[in-house]
Amino acid sequence: MAITAKPKTSAWAVLWDLLTTVDHKKIGLMYTATAFFAFALAGVFSLLIRAQLAVPNNTLLTGEQYNQVLTLHGATMLFFFIIQAGLTGFGNFVVPLMLGARDVALPRVNAFSYWAFLGAILLALMSFFFPGGAPAVGWTFYYPFSVQSGSGVNFYMAAILLLGFSSLLGNANFIATIYNLRAQGMSMWKMPMYVWSVFAASVLNLFSLAGLTAATLLVLLDRKIGLTWFNPDIGGDPVLFQQFFWFYSHPTVYVMLLPYLGILAEVASTFARKPLFGYKQMVWAQMGIVVLGTMVWAHHMFTVGESTIFQIAFAFFTALIAVPTGVKLFNLIGTLWGGHLQMKTPLLWVLGFIFNFLLGGITGVMLSMTPLDYQFHDSYFVVAHFHNVLMAGSGFGAFAGLYYWWPKMTGRMYDERLGKLHFWLFLVGYLVVFLPQYALGFLGMPRRYYTYNADIAGWPELNFISTVGAFILGLGGLVWIYAMWKSLRSGEKAPDNPWGGYTLEWLTASPPKAHNFDVELPKEFPSERPLYDWAKKGVELKPEDPSHIHLPNSSFWPFYAAATLFAFFVSVAALPVPNVWMWVFLALFAYGLVRWALEDEYSHPVEHHTLSGKSNAWMGMAWFIVSEVGLFAILIAGYLYLRLSGAATPPEERPALWLALLNTFFLVSSSFTVHFAHHDLRRGRFNPFRFGLLITIVLGVLFFLFQAYEFYQFYHHSSWQENLWTGAFFTIVGLHGLHVVIGGFGLILAYLQALRGKITLHSHGTLEAASMYWHLVDAVWLFIVVLFYVW
Amino acid sequence: MKRAFAALSLFGLVLAQEAHRVAITHPFSPVNRETNFLLVWVLVFSVLIFGVVAGALAYITWKFRAHPGQQGEPPQIHGNDRLEVIWTLIPVAIILVLFGLTARALIQVNQPIPGAMKVEVTGYQFWWDFNYPELGFRNSNELILPVGVPVELEVTSKDVIHSFWVPGLVGKQDAIPGQKTRIRFVAENPGNYYGFCAELCGPSHARMLFRVLVVPKEAFDRFVEAAKGYTPPVADARGQEVFQQNCMACHGVQGKMPPAVIGPELAFLGNRVSLAAGIVDHTPENLKAWIKDPAAMKPGTKMPGFPQLSEEDLDALVRYLEGLKVEGLDFKALPKF
């Protein structure tokens, strides 16, 4: 860059900084900006929908095009806005600050997660520009409609899979951060409620995403190579798709709620000038929601003809989940009660949330009452219910967070009058749109209807009113955008702590410096309100010694890896499978991972002390593995269902047991060799370590070669289009093979690091993570041998 | 805007004359009365809870606002264990009551009714087929049922998942390919009931409606008698010719299940109150418009258009089709729900 008289950052320099940043604050800002942009885009889609439905038999947006808009409205709001803003948006910016840390546990993985997220949005939206258009199957893409529908579905499936990588890595990163990087003296029970909520949401997502991954993968496989689990013509079960899909897609609404409950708790405490009411009960209630949230999914399936006892069980757990949710709500009210309420914009969103979520929760209980659900299911009552909780609930929470942390993130104050106007327009607009929709549900109007007849009493009037409300919301949206623009352009400079907040992020500058904290944090945390407690005790904050501050280096490779993976998914979605571009992009992706692995994370080697004693890589991988276990578990559960019900029977010619046993020998031995290699490393015996690692890789390669041979043989002597068992075999054993390749590649990365001298006694590089993953791969194999070769 | 006002004034008119009053709360079957009972219970509890919590919220917003110049901090209360127990146990109690009522109602609703008349309902993109196996006839898009007789619908699909929903009579069940779901109810009130597909199934998901025509038992018996021994009347010879040349490949007029189903049964088309799967009123004009260009009314329909038919042939065809009916039955007089 040339030296100019007036130092000015070029656009290219800004872009390069963003592309290579590993700073959690910048990543958090990018996530937040992207997520709220997605909200605005999906909001425009909703205006189109409501405009079409304003009058009967309208012709603005009909048939397939209407279905495309409603699909993208749902998918964009759910996957790209609401699940991101509260979790990866604010979470990335705020959680390390709240914990007194300088960044998350795995900063480069964090950057990768963001770019993969952006890639997923691009994948979903680019479908518009291909001949098949955007997906038109609803965000729920039920089978068999989704395998018969146009090519937009391919892009949607690819987007979900790419987003899955992004979010699981993000979840694991948050948990590792929360376990390992808390300030000394801050026990888990002294963490801010928002951090607890990010923790709970991350655990829930890791555990349950497998359902969506399974459903998505199987639809994509069916579309691309005719491999099906659901086709009734060969004994498959369309309802199995729904079991997989909802196993995730119900818990995800709690992933879409919990972070916002956390935000609301913070805002309530700060603006009422009181501690949280019932902190411990809030934590337990949240965990109760996590557990119960995984046990209610089939309330989305009350009308598919499952047995009465099945329906009763799910009705029971669904109704029960109102209890911990109520506890959260009541404790929020308790936090406000008796306070000195500062009626600023963030608090207004909290009050609006409480009012709206009350109604949304009540209508949820109504939907749990199965015979009532037989009427309400797939009607506008459900549409009103989920917008009630997701928009006027979580969505209001997102805006509470935005206005609350806006000064911290941007360094500017916003105009209070505009903020309040935005709130009121959204509250009134929301009520005008959705209260009529509850009525429409009672009047029998189904959802996902592009039009309706004029001869049904009440429908035209209620729809018209609802549309008016949508335009009130649209107006509110414009006020919001103006408020942000005005603040960024000319808002007054924000002090460190404009609200008198009690948690550690308010100790930093607005916006924080790159290294976050300039002071050495005290080691006593009497409660979750450190700033309050320290002020009360008159604790003096000493400046930090600058030589103690170590920040990770920027890196191009996370972006590069995400971009090549994105390109891979484009080639899978847009072209017949397999195709040459898939391999090209995978190779480019692998190259990026090698460069990433060989790059130094820190300029000077730093001893990392983690609170748990386990390295960040270990902690991150351990939690990531939860999702892998979940994926195999759910697919195996589906396989067991198909096998035990007699739908899937092995064909006459099937892979031989002896070859599987030979492969078992390779894989099990390789677990031992990597274990002993790791042992050698810890004893400083570098040559045996490297050799052991190499042997492990060789054993893995042998496994892979024999497996490839077996697959080739079986593929040419079977047909997954005609035999369900064959499809299940290739899916699960094939998925395992993919994991062998990934795990083996991880070990190769460690080996390359070892060759370059980057693995030392104190820095184990990728080895810990790779060997843990490898053990998982081996353990899963043992199940597979029994389920597919012995049985 | 102009269109909106036109529509608004139009349905003022429509409301006065022809509107269907669709509602899930119509007590026209024991099942619906069962769900109304559940609704009353949950609404009573809801009003209670809403009143208490919203009341607390209103009180907070009024009483605890910070005043300008207010000094000091409010009482720094961390919680109240007794309150926690109360506001956990009371919701648990309410939930258990509601759940108990739910379980009882669910068992009741899903109970097979001995001696129920069976109808096989099949969803297609984008129409409905009704086969009466015990009575030996088939109709499409309008399900004719007798008052006071228990009915068991066996619902399935031959392509994607649909859902069969007639709100004024009973809750819905999904129509799933390769599987059968069952809807059991007794219709106690004569009427022309709107029915809807309730699972997104393609471009014309919103145009896959139907009617349930509930008639007094003696009218139903007359219809069945006529249907069993039905020979399609020939109201127009040229029309029949046109039909055989253009329509017979997909449509039957015998009122019986064909060996392979392609399109809807037209045997009793003349009796229909609606056309094209419940989406427009049954008039000769609408019928003509439909035949000329089905895709205009129903995007993605599998029925091709027949723009090549001359006006005379089209009129003859319509006369023929209007003549396909059972005499002495007027479904249009039924009250509209």
Side-chain angles (χ1 to χ4, degrees), chain A residues 144-398:
Chain A
F145 186 26
S146 55
V147 304
Q148 297 177 8
S149 187
S151 64
V153 178
N154 294 332
F155 287 92
Y156 184 33
M157 299 300 97
I160 292 175
L161 290 174
L162 181 56
L163 187 64
F165 284 114
S166 164
S167 60
L168 292 173
L169 290 170
N171 300 143
N173 214 345
F174 275 132
I175 297 179
T177 305
I178 291 168
Y179 268 127
N180 278 357
L181 302 185
R182 269 171 289 132
Q184 263 204 305
M186 183 193 283
S187 79
M188 299 267 294
W189 290 98
K190 300 294 191 311
M191 299 192 309
M193 188 55 60
Y194 178 59
V195 178
W196 268 115
S197 70
V198 167
F199 175 78
S202 299
V203 169
L204 186 55
N205 205 58
L206 280 167
F207 179 72
S208 55
L209 187 69
L212 182 65
T213 310
T216 306
L217 184 65
L218 289 170
V219 165
L220 192 61
L221 286 174
D222 197 325
R223 291 180 62 92
K224 287 284 173 173
I225 62 175
L227 196 167
T228 181
W229 285 37
F230 310 127
N231 188 350
D233 294 341
I234 61 168
D237 185 353
V239 174
L240 184 59
F241 169 86
Q242 297 180 31
Q243 302 278 15
F244 286 152
F245 179 82
W246 289 113
F247 182 78
Y248 172 67
S249 299
H250 187 84
T252 195
V253 309
Y254 301 111
V255 179
M256 295 168 188
L257 173 67
L258 290 174
Y260 299 104
L261 286 176
I263 293 175
L264 295 165
E266 302 297 340
V267 174
S269 169
T270 301
F271 286 82
R273 317 307 299 148
K274 290 174 63 214
L276 280 177
F277 191 94
Y279 174 96
K280 276 220 159 76
Q281 285 85 354
M282 273 197 183
V283 173
W284 288 120
Q286 178 185 261
M287 291 325 205
I289 292 172
V290 167
V291 171
L292 280 175
T294 61
M295 297 165 70
V296 302
W297 77 88
H299 66 231
H300 299 268
M301 298 162 58
F302 277 149
T303 58
V304 305
E306 294 283 356
S307 72
T308 301
I309 195 80
F310 178 95
Q311 296 178 50
I312 286 179
F314 279 98
F316 178 67
F317 289 114
T318 304
L320 215 55
I321 209 164
V323 176
T325 316
V327 168
K328 287 290 264 182
L329 214 66
F330 301 144
N331 276 302
L332 209 54
I333 291 176
T335 305
L336 297 172
W337 189 280
H340 291 171
L341 301 186
Q342 319 288 313
M343 300 297 276
K344 299 250 165 74
T345 305
L347 187 64
L348 293 189
W349 292 108
V350 175
L351 297 170
F353 172 94
I354 295 174
F355 177 77
N356 288 313
F357 202 81
L358 184 59
L359 183 61
I362 287 172
T363 55
V365 171
M366 289 168 77
L367 288 166
S368 78
M369 299 166 71
T370 316
L372 272 182
D373 186 69
Y374 287 167
Q375 288 282 16
F376 286 138
H377 174 70
D378 262 341
S379 77
Y380 261 88
F381 187 89
V382 175
V383 176
H385 162 76
F386 65 67
H387 282 93
N388 199 337
V389 288
L390 281 170
M391 179 190 168
S394 297
F396 277 31

